[in-house]
Each structure stands twice: as C-alpha cells, then as structure tokens.
Amino acid sequence: MTENKKRVFSAIKPTGNPTLGNYLGAMKYWGRMSDEYDCLFSVADLHAITVAIEPKELRENTKRLFALLIAMGVDPEKNVLFVQSHVPAHSELCWLLNNYTMFGEARRMTQFKEKSEKAPENVNVGLFDYPVLMAADILLYQAEIVPVGEDQMQHVELCRNIAERFNGRYSPTFVLPEGRIPKYGARIHSLLDPTAKMGKSDSSADGTVLVLDRPEDIARKFKRAVTDSGKGVFASPDKPGITNLLTIYASLLDISIEDAEREFKDSDYASFKTKVGEAVIETLRPIREKYELLRRDDGALLSLMKQGADKAAYLARRTLEKVYKKIGFVR
C-alpha cells in the first residue's frame, strides 16, 4: 500500500459460477485498477452464508472464485487479494459496529426486504446484519472508494453513517468511503431473454454464459441467442437481442457500439451470432487455461490465499486496535 494512491475495496460473494455478465460488468477491469489505485479485493465468504449453501459448495465456490480473479488479471503481487473469513477482524469489527448502528436505519435497507420476500423460510439475523458486515469490510481498510452496483449504494451510505457516528462520538477514526457506480462495465443480459440480467444463479440456462463454459457450449448458446424481427445489425430499444449481442462484442474488444455496428452492417443474424460467440470463446480461453493451471495445485492456491490474508490482516489489525482503544477496552 502506498501513500499517494487512493485506496479501493471491493468484494464478491462466492455464490454460483461467475458469468460473462459478471466478467464484462466488473471483473474484467479489476486487474487494471492497480495502476491507479491501491486495491483490496475480497472473496466474501462470510456474506455467502446469509443464504442457504452446502459446505462442499461453499468451499469449491471460494477456491474457484479466488483462482478466477487471478486468472482474470488480479495480480496478487500488485493487489491485496484475500478470502474474507481468513481475516477475523471482519467479524470482530462487525460486532463492534452493531452498537453504533440504529435498528431503524438497518431495517430500512431494501435488499433485506427483497431477499426476505424471496426466501421467507430463511429470514435470519445474518441477512439483516449483512450491511453492517459490509461496513466493517470497508472501514477496516480505510477505503476511500468502493465500486458498487446501484443496489449496493444504500449500504455504502449506511457505512458512512456508522463511520460518522463513531467518529463523532470518539474522534476521527474511519475514512468516510465514497460509493461509486463504475462507468466502465457493460450491463449484459440473458441470451434468451434480453430484457433480463444475465445472472450466475441461473447457471443451467442456455441464456447464461459462464466464464468456465467449454468452447462448444459457448458456441451453441450464441447460435440459440434470441435476435429480433426485421433485418440489420444495429443497436436500438426495439432490438434488445441485437443490442445485447453488440454490447457483448464491443465490451470484449474495448470498442464502441458504433464501431461494432459498422463491422456487422452487412451481416445476417446467423453470421453475426457466430462471430460474437467466437469472440467470447477467444477472450475466455486464456482465462480458463490459467484457471485450470491454478487449480492443479491446491497447496499453491492456499499459499496465495495466506499471502493475501496476511497483508489484509496487518492493515485490518491496525484499524481494529484503534477502535478497541477508543471504545475503552483494556488492551
């Protein structure tokens, strides 16, 4: 960590398989961020257990996601990459911050309401406390910037409220983080329903392309992708299927939608879908190959996890000790 770079914290839950949408929406750019920022990236396994998940699945998802982040360009030498549960300070600070979080403001979190409605049989306290753990994740590392989707901005605001309340009661302790909705990521939709988000929980559907899909499966999914009535390959609100495919292609090649439209102006839909599928295959091929290499040696992967956890724990402990002392605990 350096003094002249702003610090970024971001985390992703090990639930399901990362999709092409996850990759083009955020993960593709994480590896590049270290040029401008000091970056901490976490596999948020503590957050993952707020919903029902089998132990075997959680272990595999965690290893898979950690290895995939490296394969996608998150260099563990340039970034602090770690598994959340490997740094006990996250759980410790969460408990402390619970006492500076008002019940009313926690109850207003819309994600808790939405998830409770989706799974009424599992409305647990952890799900309710999720935003406070997220605040602990951020505040432990004195992060200045937190890249999040629109659905998480409310949680970042709660984090700021908690930090301000603590700072006001004792003395300045926490940096107030700024939630940022990244402008670089593309919003990718299902290949079969271009009005719906491509989600990792829908991994069995042909509308979802997984980062680790085999080339033949990717090709098949794109051949079956929904297009639109009429002719012409161009982006339009009336052509959600074609627009989605153009967005995927442009995002893969880091070109504009207009450049993609020009490239395919004389193409029929079948040729267009095949070409987009081929671009996806070639982009994901080196990621899959590096991932498979990393997964051949579990010991080496665990060593990288420990390396990241040691770096994160050092930073986290410095903050946590300040908090304990200011509250009045005997150290």
Side-chain angles (χ1 to χ4, degrees):
M1 299 285 104
T2 58
E3 296 296 326
N4 58 342
K5 286 184 178 181
K6 287 192 173 184
R7 189 171 292 178
V8 168
F9 177 87
S10 195
I12 182 169
K13 287 187 295 184
T15 52
N17 283 310
T19 69
L20 179 65
N22 299 136
Y23 174 67
L24 294 178
M27 297 166 81
K28 171 184 176 183
Y29 303 92
W30 281 11
R32 305 176 187 178
M33 292 176 69
S34 61
D35 293 335
E36 186 176 354
Y37 302 105
D38 279 332
C39 298
L40 295 105
F41 297 115
S42 177
V43 177
D45 55 343
L46 293 175
H47 286 288
I49 65 169
T50 57
V51 297
I53 185 168
E54 291 298 318
K56 183 178 179 181
E57 183 183 356
L58 178 59
R59 278 191 290 270
E60 174 56 27
N61 286 356
T62 300
K63 289 180 183 178
R64 180 197 300 125
L65 185 54
F66 190 89
L68 262 176
L69 287 171
I70 298 173
M72 289 176 181
V74 178
D75 186 342
E77 297 300 325
K78 294 181 179 179
N79 306 272
V80 178
L81 175 62
F82 66 101
V83 176
Q84 185 187 26
S85 67
H86 292 175
V87 182
H90 287 257
S91 301
E92 292 180 62
L93 185 59
C94 178
W95 172 251
L96 300 177
L97 295 183
N98 279 328
N99 300 280
Y100 303 90
T101 307
M102 299 302 104
F103 182 78
E105 61 187 352
R107 188 172 55 185
R108 287 194 293 272
M109 297 295 104
T110 55
Q111 277 216 336
F112 172 72
K113 296 174 184 175
E114 291 169 2
K115 290 183 179 180
S116 298
E117 289 172 3
K118 286 182 181 178
E121 74 288 349
N122 189 38
V123 184
N124 58 71
V125 175
L127 187 64
F128 182 77
D129 206 34
Y130 184 111
V132 185
L133 177 57
M134 182 173 165
D137 298 338
I138 297 164
L139 298 177
L140 267 177
Y141 302 104
Q142 307 292 356
E144 294 157 283
I145 299 169
V146 186
V148 290
E150 288 180 30
D151 59 337
Q152 293 285 331
M153 281 297 286
Q154 190 185 31
H155 291 173
V156 179
E157 286 305 309
L158 176 64
C159 175
R160 287 176 61 89
N161 291 345
I162 296 168
E164 286 179 324
R165 188 173 292 124
F166 191 95
N167 290 351
R169 179 165 177 179
Y170 300 103
S171 62
T173 307
F174 298 118
V175 169
L176 298 184
E178 176 191 345
R180 286 193 190 172
I181 299 172
K183 295 178 181 178
Y184 46 69
R187 193 172 183 84
I188 305 302
H189 295 85
S190 165
L191 298 184
L192 296 184
D193 180 5
T195 63
K197 182 181 174 182
M198 183 182 286
K200 57 185 176 180
S201 59
D202 193 25
S203 59
S204 62
D206 276 351
T208 297
V209 176
L210 304 178
V211 173
L212 294 176
D213 270 345
R214 297 178 302 174
E216 56 268 33
D217 291 330
I218 296 172
R220 174 178 52 79
K221 289 178 180 182
F222 274 92
K223 284 178 182 176
R224 295 180 180 178
V226 168
T227 50
D228 309 286
S229 57
K231 296 180 179 180
V233 176
F234 57 89
S236 165
D238 299 326
K239 286 179 168 289
I242 294 298
T243 301
N244 188 41
L245 293 172
L246 281 168
T247 301
I248 290 170
Y249 189 79
S251 301
L252 288 168
L253 274 63
D254 290 319
I255 62 175
S256 68
I257 294 288
E258 291 74 21
D259 285 340
E261 287 175 329
R262 279 190 286 273
E263 184 172 341
F264 293 107
K265 63 183 176 65
D266 297 323
S267 292
D268 58 67
Y269 286 173
S271 301
F272 169 54
K273 290 194 291 184
T274 298
K275 188 74 181 289
V276 177
E278 289 171 350
V280 171
I281 289 167
E282 291 311 309
T283 299
L284 297 183
R285 189 189 305 280
I287 294 173
R288 191 176 65 254
E289 289 173 351
K290 186 167 184 179
Y291 168 82
E292 289 171 352
L293 190 64
L294 287 162
R295 291 307 306 271
R296 284 178 198 160
D297 189 342
D298 237 24
L301 190 67
L302 293 173
S303 179
L304 288 172
M305 286 182 178
K306 184 180 185 306
Q307 173 185 308
D310 288 346
K311 292 178 184 176
Y314 172 75
L315 297 170
R317 181 53 57 177
R318 289 170 63 184
T319 298
L320 192 62
E321 284 301 320
K322 286 182 186 177
V323 173
Y324 275 131
K325 288 176 183 176
K326 291 193 177 185
I327 292 173
F329 289 104
V330 175
R331 308 309 293 156

